[in-house]
Structure formats: C-alpha cells, structure tokens
C-alpha cells in the first residue's frame, strides 16, 4: 500500500489512493474543445451566466477555460445539493476563499429538491445585483436581459430551472406561452423572473463537458454521478469512496451497514455489506457445482448509492 496513516480512531488507513493502471484517457471526452466553442457562441447573447455545480465538488470537473467568458459576463456559481455537502462554516469559508483565488466571487449554495426550495429564492436577487453592477447593463438599459443556466451533467440544472418555474410562474409574473390558445407548450423557451429590470431565464440549460484534470478528479466526478459509472467501474468507485470515508474520518458507514468496525479493505467491507443485505449471487466452481457467494458488485452499487443519497454523511470531496 502506498501510504498509511492513522485517523482519529488511531487505526491504520490509507493516506493515498492507489489508482493502479486505470486508463485515464477514455475519461477525457474527445469533444471537449468543440463543446467549448459551441458554448462560447451560445453565451454571446446571454447577459448573466448561472453556473450550477455540485456542492460536494466545488472545484473538481469545472472547466478553467471558462474564465475568459466569465470575465465578460456576470457569473454566479451555484453550489447545488447543499443538503449532501459539508456546509459547516469553516469548510464553506475555506471553499469561498479558494474560489476567490480562482476569480470566482459570486457563490450561492442551493438545494433544489422539494416543493418550496427556499434557497432558490436567493438566486434572482443575486442575478439582479450582478447585472445591475455590470458595464453591460449600463450600456443597454432598454433591452430585456437573459440568463442562462449552464453546468456539467447531473448537477441539478433542470431541477433548478423547475424550481424557478414553480416560483416565478405561480406568482403570475409570467405566463407560459403554451396556455394561450393555438400556441403549443414547446414554444415556451424562457421564464420571466424579474420585471425591472426585465429578466428572462432561458429554460434550456447549457450542458458542459466535465473537465477531468486527473484520475482523482475523475473519481470524484464518478462518485457524484456526473460521469457514467461503467466508464470508471463500480468496484474502483466503491474503493475510492471507502478510502475517502476512512481518510477523513467519516465513520457513519460503519453504523449504517452495521459492520464490525471500520476497515480499509474494500473486499472485506463489500462482503460484509452483501451478507447483511442478503445480496447473494451463484457462482460455478471449478468442479462444476453452483455455490452461493456474496454479490460484491451489488454491494458496491449499494454503497455508492447510499453515498449519493447522503446516507453516509454530509461529505465534501474537494
Ligand atoms: N440531494 C439533492 N439532489 C438533487 C438536488 N438537485 C437535483 N438533485 C438530483 O440530482 C439529479 C440530477 O438532477 P438534474 O436536475 O436532472 O441535473 P441536470 O442533469 O444538471 O439537469 C436528480 O436525481 C435530482 O433529483 C439537490 O439540491 N439535492
Ligand atoms: Mg437536465
């Protein structure tokens, strides 16, 4: 093992994750440059960019090449799924400082699930503030302004737009074009979110390609469900998860799965989980008889799912 250290419980755990010979190249989508070019041109007519990202990974997967676009447009970074992240004050202020160093000044934490989504109500006031203080606003006050939601897959762009739709369509501030006779619903491409200045939210998000700088970033993205699991492998994602849980003292998994104690051995942990959850698969032995075995893959998938639901704790990976 590459490195071992003790966590607060005085046990031996890995200090580094051994990525082995995992091929990195196929995690890099080949169409990244093309996507970037397309995104640049579609943002040309947008007055404010709302970038949604997963609060558990405020850095991993965000494309540094977007800086130059953000420099000419007001930009708000929404760290969504705050219900799953570590939002203790010292962690969030540390993250705000690091983001500031990268030139990201405007940050908002949100949670988009549920009918009321109170944190989403903060988005438009921040957007108005940003637009009104930008040069562009002063140059063309008469025009209606548009806001576009962008971000990598699965961070909650659609959920955010739906939450805004619930807030701003119900208030009667905007009428869906579809409710007028003779106009189909699909014609509605934007939602009016402010009267003065007149601001419209485009209801189609811009989908960005995750930026996979290195294997660890790829692993974090996979854990948060922003890359396809099978591209990375459920077994290695589960092992990375176990490494993170032990390394940073997130011990809730022990209680959640009623394990004998914390362990850094993924096969040991998955075997215990499979037995506990009664996930059994049948395997053929060399002699040809069929015997029941703990289903390691099912246990790995369950562990990853539990993390994604927040059952293993509020954990920020960056
Ligand atoms: N826990 C939690 N899950 C969320 C939140 N927002 C979205 N999700 C979930 O994340 C997944 C992806 O959301 P979606 O809006 O489709 O993401 P998109 O691909 O960026 O449009 C869905 O399963 C959502 O239910 C949130 O604030 N908290
Ligand atoms: Mg979507």
């Amino acid at each position: 093992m590459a490195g071992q250290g003790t966590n607060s419980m005085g046990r031996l755990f890995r200090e580094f994750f051994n990525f082995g010979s995992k091929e990195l190249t196929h995690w890099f989508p080949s169409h990244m440059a093309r996507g970037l070019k397309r995104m640049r041109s579609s943002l040309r007519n947008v007055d404010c960019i709302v970038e949604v990202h997963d609060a558990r990974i405020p850095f991993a997967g965000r494309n540094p090449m977007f800086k130059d676009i953000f420099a000419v447009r007001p930009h708000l970074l929404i760290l969504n799924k705050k219900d799953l992240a570590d939002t203790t004050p010292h962690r969030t202020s540390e993250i705000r400082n690091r983001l500031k160093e990268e030139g990201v000044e405007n940050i908002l934490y949100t949670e988009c699930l549920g009918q009321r989504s109170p944190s989403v109500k903060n988005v438009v006031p921040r957007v108005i503030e940003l637009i009104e203080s930008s040069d562009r606003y002063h140059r063309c006050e008469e025009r209606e302004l548009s806001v576009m939601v962008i971000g990598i897959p699965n961070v909650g762009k659609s959920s955010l737009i739906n939450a805004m739709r619930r807030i701003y369509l119900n208030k009667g501030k905007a009428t869906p074009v579809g409710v007028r006779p003779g106009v189909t619903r699909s014609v509605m491409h934007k939602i009016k979110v402010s009267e003065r200045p007149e601001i419209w939210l485009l209801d189609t998000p811009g989908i960005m390609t995750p930026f996979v700088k290195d294997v660890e970033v790829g692993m974090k993205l996979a854990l948060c469900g922003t890359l396809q699991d099978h591209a990375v492998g459920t077994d290695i994602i589960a092992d990375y998860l176990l490494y993170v849980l032990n390394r940073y003292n997130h011990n809730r998994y022990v209680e959640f799965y009623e394990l004998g104690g914390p362990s850094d051995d993924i096969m040991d942990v998955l075997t215990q989980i499979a037995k506990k959850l009664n996930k059994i698969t049948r395997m053929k032995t060399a002699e040809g008889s069929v015997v029941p075995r703990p289903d390691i893959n099912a246990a790995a998938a369950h562990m990853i799912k539990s993390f994604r639901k927040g059952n293993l704790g509020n954990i920020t990976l960056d």
Side-chain angles (χ1 to χ4, degrees), residues 2-277:
Q4 280 198 327
T6 48
N7 72 358
S8 65
M9 300 171 76
R11 287 172 184 272
L12 277 180
F13 289 113
R14 289 171 283 183
E15 278 185 351
F16 304 100
F17 187 77
N18 180 6
F19 294 100
S21 59
K22 192 75 191 162
E23 259 299 320
L24 180 65
T25 45
H26 61 244
W27 291 356
F28 285 107
S30 55
H31 51 272
M32 191 140 84
R34 220 180 332 138
L36 203 65
K37 206 169 158 193
R38 208 185 42 230
M39 184 66 69
R40 275 209 180 95
S41 70
S42 76
L43 289 176
R44 196 165 296 148
N45 301 317
V46 167
D47 300 283
C48 181
I49 300 159
V50 171
E51 179 193 358
V52 182
H53 204 67
D54 192 317
R56 292 169 296 178
I57 40 169
F59 304 95
R62 296 187 43 247
N63 197 324
M65 289 189 276
F66 265 92
K67 250 197 215 151
D68 52 334
I69 298 180
F70 298 160
V72 294
R73 293 278 186 283
H75 167 246
L76 176 62
L77 175 63
I78 295 213
L79 294 174
N80 187 41
K81 309 197 186 188
K82 70 169 178 163
D83 53 307
L84 301 176
D86 180 351
T87 50
T88 50
H90 84 278
R91 276 297 264 146
T92 51
S93 77
E94 181 191 38
I95 286 162
R96 276 177 195 279
N97 290 340
R98 265 180 72 192
L99 283 167
K100 205 168 180 174
E101 279 167 26
E102 293 191 1
V104 181
E105 303 258 355
N106 310 301
I107 304 147
L108 208 58
Y109 280 87
T110 60
E111 179 189 347
C112 287
L113 298 185
Q115 276 302 303
R116 291 158 50 79
S117 330
S119 54
V120 176
K121 296 201 172 100
N122 301 325
V123 175
V124 168
R126 280 300 284 277
V127 163
I128 294 176
E129 219 178 279
L130 286 173
I131 290 182
E132 289 191 335
S133 60
S134 79
D135 300 346
R136 186 168 174 81
Y137 175 64
H138 295 293
R139 266 187 276 125
C140 49
E141 244 166 297
E142 305 306 319
R143 209 162 65 77
E144 58 183 59
L145 301 158
S146 61
V147 176
M148 189 182 199
V149 170
I150 65 166
I152 67 172
N154 244 359
V155 291
K157 299 179 298 299
S158 299
S159 305
L160 176 72
I161 291 170
N162 286 336
M164 307 258 282
R165 188 177 279 131
R166 280 196 297 273
I167 296 168
Y168 295 97
L169 289 186
N170 290 343
K171 274 192 172 171
K173 281 193 175 172
T175 313
V177 179
V179 306
R180 283 193 227 133
V183 184
T184 57
R185 205 182 150 70
S186 64
V187 176
M188 194 185 87
H189 294 306
K190 44 190 195 175
I191 305 153
K192 194 193 267 187
V193 294
S194 163
E195 202 65 61
R196 206 168 294 165
E198 189 175 326
I199 303 178
W200 294 81
L201 176 80
L202 303 178
D203 81 345
T204 320
I207 300 164
M208 292 162 76
T209 310
F211 182 70
V212 190
K213 164 164 83 68
D214 55 38
V215 199
E216 182 140 31
V217 164
M219 210 62 89
K220 291 175 180 178
L221 289 168
L223 200 43
C224 293
T226 67
L227 290 179
Q228 291 188 317
D229 290 351
H230 62 79
V232 183
T234 315
D235 48 350
I236 191 166
I237 301 173
D239 192 20
Y240 181 73
L241 172 58
L242 182 65
Y243 153 75
V244 169
L245 295 175
N246 287 325
R247 177 81 175 82
Y248 301 102
N249 297 313
H250 302 293
N251 291 316
R252 196 188 289 181
Y253 76 96
V254 177
E255 199 185 317
F256 184 76
Y257 284 117
E258 302 172 350
L259 306 178
S263 162
D264 217 10
D265 178 343
I266 189 66
M267 284 311 280
D268 167 39
V269 169
L270 292 180
T271 305
Q272 288 193 61
I273 292 176
K275 285 183 181 162
K276 199 73 86 203
L277 302 175

